[in-house]
């Protein structure tokens, strides 16, 4: 067992991906079931995401889903990866997390992102513009002020004020700078752009300003990790997501995950452009046998100095996904199974 890996926390972001032949409600129930299994395996957190009007993602209301996950579990931390703050009024977000923390004290995380909708139509439906993401730093300051009771409106967030819900910033684009200047933990990915990720981490640590929320930098690296009995089986777990990403890049919509068998069949054809995106989608992830993944993880953790790894793997094969998490738990020393 690597002491470097053993000293690192391992967590999971589940995006409630829909699958061909399986509807959105089933995907949400799958997330809750997965949380129970991850808790038994010893994972540190289970986070859920926010996506609107995306055919391949059922997770559109992260604080609602987080409440269901927290109610179904006992010890695992539960949070969001993340709530897209530009889509919401900071007071409402503060109130939602205040309710969650009141119901499940000491177990709630507040992961925050700055994306605004997936398409122009979604942004119009949300009443937002893509430039609203430019105000993320000010929105973040306002949100944290509701917890501290420092809002200049004279209003007070209930039951939020005085509670402590750990905030994390999803470091997309300028996120590393914002996280550092606010003195907050940072979540950064993905593993396929290793050099870019490492530059972001270096910048974050160099610019970090201690705050009431965090006295020192805290780095969570996120990305796809697939573990199986053979390298070929691990790679097959990556196929559905790679194909869906390629389809979204060429058709403008993110579809439900297909079974790997269909993508690999001769009946499935791709244009050269689609094939290029598909091959890109398969490259750069950490995948393989337990021994291979352990070696790659040790390198990643040493290079990044990360305190935590957030696994974002999605696939059609739920049994294969659960087996991957069990094997990764062994690699990480989370359980004795």
């Amino acid at each position: 067992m690597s002491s470097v890996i053993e000293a690192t926390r391992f967590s999971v972001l589940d995006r409630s991906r829909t699958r061909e032949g399986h509807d959105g409600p089933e995907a949400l129930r799958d997330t809750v079931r997965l949380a129970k299994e991850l808790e038994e395996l010893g994972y540190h957190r289970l986070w859920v995401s926010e996506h609107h009007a995306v055919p391949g993602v059922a997770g559109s209301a992260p604080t609602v889903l987080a409440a269901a996950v927290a109610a179904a579990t006992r010890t695992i931390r539960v949070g969001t990866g993340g709530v897209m703050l530009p889509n919401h009024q900071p007071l409402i977000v503060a109130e939602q997390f205040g309710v969650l923390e009141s119901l499940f004290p000491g177990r709630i995380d507040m992961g925050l992102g700055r994306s605004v909708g997936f398409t122009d139509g979604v942004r119009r439906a949300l009443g937002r513009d893509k430039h609203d993401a430019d105000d993320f730093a000010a929105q973040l300051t306002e949100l944290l002020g509701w917890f501290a009771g420092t809002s200049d409106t004279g209003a007070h967030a209930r039951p939020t004020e005085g509670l402590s819900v750990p905030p994390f910033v999803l470091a997309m684009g300028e996120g590393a700078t914002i996280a550092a200047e606010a003195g907050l933990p940072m979540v950064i990915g993905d593993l396929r752009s290793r050099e870019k990720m490492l530059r972001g981490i270096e910048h974050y640590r160099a610019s970090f300003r201690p705050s009431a929320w965090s006295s020192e930098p805290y780095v969570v690296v996120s990305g796809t990790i697939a573990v199986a009995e053979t390298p070929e089986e691990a790679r097959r777990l990556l196929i559905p997501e790679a194909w869906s990403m390629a389809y979204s890049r060429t058709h403008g919509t993110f579809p439900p995950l297909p079974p790997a068998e269909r993508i690999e069949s001769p009946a499935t054809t791709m244009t050269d452009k689609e094939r290029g995106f598909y091959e890109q989608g398969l490259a750069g992830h950490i995948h393989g046998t337990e021994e291979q993944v352990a070696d790659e993880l040790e390198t990643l953790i040493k290079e990044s100095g990360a305190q935590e790894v957030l696994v974002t793997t999605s696939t059609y094969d739920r049994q294969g996904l659960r087996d991957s998490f069990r094997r990764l738990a062994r690699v990480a020393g989370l359980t004795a199974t």
Side-chain angles (χ1 to χ4, degrees), residues 41-119:
L41 290 171
Y43 284 87
H44 187 59
R45 316 178 200 273
L46 184 283
W47 282 3
V48 296
S49 63
E50 175 182 344
H51 295 273
H52 299 286
V54 179
V57 183
S60 57
T63 54
V64 176
L65 183 53
V69 169
T73 54
R74 298 179 299 105
T75 57
I76 194 170
R77 296 193 65 86
V78 178
T80 56
V83 164
M84 296 299 130
L85 193 51
N87 291 339
H88 311 279
Q89 291 296 327
L91 171 61
I92 302 302
V93 175
E95 289 173 335
Q96 290 173 345
F97 280 97
V99 170
L100 283 170
E101 176 64 19
S102 298
L103 293 173
F104 310 102
R107 293 179 55 205
I108 301 300
D109 301 320
M110 185 169 59
L112 304 163
R114 60 192 295 268
S115 296
V116 187
F118 186 65
T119 64

Side-chain angles (χ1 to χ4, degrees), residues 314-337:
S314 296
T315 191
Y316 181 91
D317 180 1
R318 296 299 295 185
Q319 183 175 343
L321 181 65
R322 292 192 295 269
D323 180 64
S324 178
F325 283 129
R326 284 193 293 269
R327 291 177 182 274
L328 180 59
R330 285 199 293 265
V331 170
L334 304 184
T335 67
T337 57

Side-chain angles (χ1 to χ4, degrees), residues 4-333:
V4 173
I5 296 177
E6 197 170 16
T8 305
R9 289 170 168 166
F10 281 78
S11 301
V12 174
L13 168 64
D14 189 77
R15 288 171 289 162
S16 304
R17 292 298 316 275
T18 58
R19 299 176 292 150
E20 290 184 0
H22 303 267
D23 59 14
E26 183 177 353
L28 296 173
R29 293 191 291 268
D30 282 342
T31 294
V32 176
R33 282 192 288 266
L34 179 63
K36 296 178 183 178
E37 296 174 17
L38 295 173
E39 180 175 73
E40 292 175 0
L41 290 171
Y43 284 87
H44 187 59
R45 316 178 200 273
L46 184 283
W47 282 3
V48 296
S49 63
E50 175 182 344
H51 295 273
H52 299 286
V54 179
V57 183
S60 57
T63 54
V64 176
L65 183 53
V69 169
T73 54
R74 298 179 299 105
T75 57
I76 194 170
R77 296 193 65 86
V78 178
T80 56
V83 164
M84 296 299 130
L85 193 51
N87 291 339
H88 311 279
Q89 291 296 327
L91 171 61
I92 302 302
V93 175
E95 289 173 335
Q96 290 173 345
F97 280 97
V99 170
L100 283 170
E101 176 64 19
S102 298
L103 293 173
F104 310 102
R107 293 179 55 205
I108 301 300
D109 301 320
M110 185 169 59
L112 304 163
R114 60 192 295 268
S115 296
V116 187
F118 186 65
T119 64
D120 289 339
V122 172
R123 288 190 286 270
R124 286 196 300 273
L126 291 170
R128 294 292 185 266
D129 183 88
K130 61 183 178 181
H131 298 297
D132 287 331
D134 298 338
D135 298 327
F136 178 69
Q139 294 162 346
L140 179 62
T141 299
E142 181 182 346
L143 171 61
L144 300 181
W146 290 113
F147 287 87
T150 57
S151 171
D152 59 9
T153 64
H156 296 270
R158 308 294 184 194
T160 305
E161 191 171 308
L163 297 179
S164 181
V165 179
F168 295 74
V169 172
L170 276 59
M172 303 294 289
E174 298 177 12
T177 298
I178 293 170
E181 293 180 350
L184 300 180
M186 176 185 71
V187 183
I188 189 168
D190 65 52
L191 304 181
R192 292 174 298 176
S193 304
R194 193 70 56 88
E195 291 303 318
K196 181 179 179 181
M197 182 188 74
L198 294 177
R199 288 195 302 271
I201 292 171
E202 183 180 4
H203 172 70
Y204 165 72
R205 289 202 175 103
S207 307
F208 186 84
R209 301 174 185 173
S211 71
W213 295 97
S214 186
S215 60
E216 57 187 22
Y218 188 90
V219 174
V220 182
V221 293
S222 68
T224 295
I225 301 174
V227 197
E229 186 173 354
T230 68
E232 293 75 22
E233 289 178 80
R235 184 182 182 278
R236 291 187 82 249
L237 292 175
L238 305 177
I239 287 173
E241 180 85 0
W243 182 87
S244 292
M245 287 294 293
Y247 187 92
S248 73
R249 296 286 296 274
T250 52
H251 293 77
T253 184
F254 204 99
L257 296 174
E261 293 80 6
R262 181 169 73 75
I263 303 307
E264 292 182 309
S265 76
T268 297
T269 60
M270 300 185 203
T271 65
D272 289 344
K273 186 175 183 180
E274 287 172 332
R275 176 66 63 178
F277 286 132
Y278 173 68
E279 295 296 341
Q280 288 178 24
L282 289 172
H285 304 294
I286 292 179
H287 72 284
T289 64
E290 292 176 36
E291 294 77 14
Q292 290 171 325
V293 167
D295 288 342
E296 290 194 57
L297 277 175
E298 185 164 16
T299 298
L300 169 67
I301 295 166
K302 285 180 177 178
E303 288 180 348
S304 66
Q307 289 96 333
E308 188 168 341
V309 174
L310 182 69
V311 185
T312 61
T313 310
S314 296
T315 191
Y316 181 91
D317 180 1
R318 296 299 295 185
Q319 183 175 343
L321 181 65
R322 292 192 295 269
D323 180 64
S324 178
F325 283 129
R326 284 193 293 269
R327 291 177 182 274
L328 180 59
R330 285 199 293 265
V331 170

